[in-house]
Amino acid sequence: MTDNIRHHLTDGLLMAYSAGSLPEAFNLTVAAHLSMCDSCRARLGAFDSVGGALLNGGERAEMSAGSMEAALAAARQRPRPAAAPRPRGTLPAPLIDYIGGNLDAVRWRPVGMGVRQAILPTDGDATARLLHIPAGAAVPDHGHRGTELTLVLQGAFADSTSRFAKGDIEIAGEDLNHTPIAETGDDCICLAATDAPLRFRGWIPRIAQPFLKI
Amino acid sequence: MLSTIDTARHDLASMTGPLAARRAMCGALFMQTSGKIPVPPNRQSENSRWTACITRIRDSSDEAAFAELFEHFAPRIKGYLMKSGAGATLAEECAQDVMATLWQKAHLFDPSRASAATWIFTIARNRRIDALRKSRRPEPEEVYWGPQESPDQADILAMEEAAVELTRAIAALPAKQKTLIEAAYFNDLSHSEIADQTGLPLGTIKSRIRLALDRLRHAMK
């Protein structure tokens, strides 16, 4: 739990996460931020309450005869799950589920300029990837064809809009072109979700791009 | 799917302020209970009744309590799923499954964190994502509060009052705003898909939803 998070989820994202209309990769990124951010989690509670009130006041579609007995019979077959303690580690629990372990279990692939990535398995509507950016390195200027959410898991980066540190989420739309630069100190590790196919190879020019050692 | 995301950079942290961890879980923002008008006893007793039913299932596998909850919630879950695009047969199967999950997870319900209707909504929503979108919905990390204590009675009451207030505030929304909020929750539509369906400009939809949320916040203060 981090108290010094400065960049939070928008109402639009929280409402869509609560309503269940986000693609899986965005759900994962939102869930990872919520795991680190008390204030967004509290706001999510409010949006879930809206869903509860709408359900409670919503239209009925009558159930067929015997459906209650059938549900009860099914319920009685099921064991009551213990509140399973999830694996703890430096990463938020939802990410550990997707990686199948902590950072040491990530299967990184180099994508050039010292930057490494690992694509996480989600459904096809959007892509989630972990990015490892060496301290001081710049990710060359790139635009976005859709929406990109970037959650900082370790280290920090800055671009023309602001500085993003652990727990911060950057929400970039098609209008943003930016050159994120990882700060010196720790390497920067981020979770990035995009809803348009991102041509990562185009992102990183093949020609040598010197690291910005500050 | 692009415009599902409201890319406006609203930093709303300042609206919630620093929160003690426990209060944070009580769904702040809409749930500030200070200075609230007292809730009519009949409205509140409905919430208490559902909470009591879930407790009876947890403590004594009470089938009558299950039947009561089923009578009220199963047809509403089915209605919700059908609005989201499920056929009647699938919606009925899923509604049964949601109710069976309620039985199975009754011991995990914390009435100081969510009203019964809210908790049931989250189960139904997850079932919908699983059944209709065939995708996973990662959940945030559980917050551990130390040894399991029974939730504070005042917190439960505050949560129930807030749920009633919210229902009233939603009912009082202008029809245009209420329709859009319902579409966002029930029809599994992104804002741009709502725009396609209604012919309204995306900006109008976003501003109406924003107005609706502002009204709800104002009502819950």
Side-chain angles (χ1 to χ4, degrees), chain A:
Chain A
M1 225 48 68
T2 314
D3 289 331
N4 42 12
I5 294 175
R6 303 173 63 100
H7 298 277
H8 295 269
L9 295 165
T10 58
D11 273 357
L13 273 172
L14 278 171
M15 188 164 148
Y17 179 74
S18 176
S21 49
L22 290 177
E24 187 178 347
F26 284 83
N27 277 337
L28 174 61
T29 310
V30 169
H33 176 82
L34 290 168
S35 301
M36 302 164 88
C37 182
D38 272 350
S39 74
C40 285
R41 198 191 282 253
R43 289 166 59 212
L44 175 70
F47 283 104
D48 284 348
S49 301
V50 173
L54 290 173
L55 176 72
N56 202 34
E59 283 168 34
R60 298 167 56 102
E62 290 313 316
M63 300 287 286
S64 43
S67 61
M68 195 280 287
E69 291 75 9
L72 188 57
R76 286 202 163 280
Q77 301 284 315
R78 298 190 190 176
R80 289 198 173 175
R86 299 172 83 170
R88 309 302 296 274
T90 50
L91 293 176
L95 259 179
I96 295 178
D97 291 346
Y98 273 76
I99 295 166
N102 244 296
L103 275 178
D104 52 6
V106 177
R107 298 171 67 191
W108 295 106
R109 300 260 183 274
V111 289
M113 310 313 305
V115 178
R116 293 181 290 162
Q117 74 163 357
I119 293 179
L120 300 175
T122 59
D123 68 24
D125 292 336
T127 309
R129 74 190 71 227
L130 289 165
L131 289 172
H132 184 286
I133 307 158
V139 177
D141 186 32
H142 66 285
H144 303 97
R145 288 166 56 191
T147 299
E148 183 180 45
L149 305 183
T150 308
L151 173 69
V152 181
L153 302 166
Q154 177 191 296
F157 73 83
D159 64 16
S160 57
T161 69
S162 195
R163 172 180 186 268
F164 298 85
K166 185 175 176 180
D168 283 332
I169 190 157
E170 179 174 49
I171 302 164
E174 293 182 53
D175 49 341
L176 181 74
N177 277 280
H178 63 162
T179 309
I181 299 171
E183 286 188 354
T184 51
D186 284 338
D187 289 350
C188 184
I189 297 175
C190 298
L191 171 64
T194 45
D195 59 3
L198 191 110
R199 288 161 300 177
F200 198 89
R201 284 180 186 283
W203 241 58
I204 308 278
R206 297 285 177 85
I207 52 166
Q209 169 86 17
F211 293 172
L212 301 181
K213 298 284 185 197
I214 301 165

